[in-house]
Amino acid sequence: MRNTTLCYIEKDNSYLMLHRIKKKNDENEGKYVGIGGHFLENESPYECILREAREETGLEITPVYRGIVTFVSDKYECEQMHLFTASSFEGKLCECDEGVITWVDKSKLDDIPMWEGDRIFFDLLNKRSDFFSLKLEYAGNTLVSYSIDGVKIK
């Protein structure tokens, strides 16, 4: 199982998101996702998200660890994603070679292409302040079931 990080940087009721349209053979192609990526050897979740934010955006962030999301798929490698938010950051935005970085108003999240499971953890981020665990199970690109804190919802 691979380990990854994801962070939603927040400002003025918007999230900084990456529209994945540049990378070849990208399982996220065409979708909007947060900032983040794969762990390098011996990295902690914090070290990974700090590095990824710097590489993808040019920003130095102050991340808040919000939850862990387990992805199970019959098509893609299973993944443990360490989920962060950040409302404190410094620096100037740079271009990213994986996609286009853009601010998306939180009220417009339903209007953009993203994974169905991402909508569930956005809801959790907005409704909860405590750390949560979310498990998402996909058949192909379709969400077939999910559990929150070990309790099956769907």
Side-chain angles (χ1 to χ4, degrees), residues 36-88:
H38 299 87
F39 280 45
L40 296 179
E41 188 172 349
N42 301 321
E43 273 188 325
S44 73
Y46 279 95
E47 290 167 329
C48 180
I49 198 57
L50 291 169
R51 176 185 54 76
E52 288 285 352
R54 191 177 315 110
E55 289 174 1
E56 292 182 356
T57 69
L59 301 177
E60 298 293 334
I61 65 171
T62 304
V64 177
Y65 202 171
R66 301 291 305 278
I68 190 153
V69 181
T70 304
F71 293 95
V72 177
S73 172
D74 63 352
K75 183 175 180 182
Y76 303 109
E77 183 180 5
C78 293
E79 177 179 340
Q80 290 265 290
M81 184 185 73
H82 303 263
L83 183 61
F84 294 85
T85 55
S87 56
S88 177

Side-chain angles (χ1 to χ4, degrees), residues 7-19 32-33 35 57 59 61 86-94 100-109 112:
C7 184
Y8 288 99
I9 301 170
E10 301 176 80
K11 179 181 90 169
D12 300 331
N13 208 41
S14 296
Y15 286 121
L16 188 63
M17 298 186 75
L18 181 57
H19 188 197
Y32 284 79
V33 297
I35 305 306
T57 69
L59 301 177
I61 65 171
S87 56
S88 177
F89 58 89
E90 296 178 345
K92 182 180 174 190
L93 281 175
C94 66
V100 176
I101 297 195
T102 186
W103 290 102
V104 177
D105 190 279
K106 292 178 182 180
S107 68
K108 304 288 186 198
L109 291 175
I112 60 174

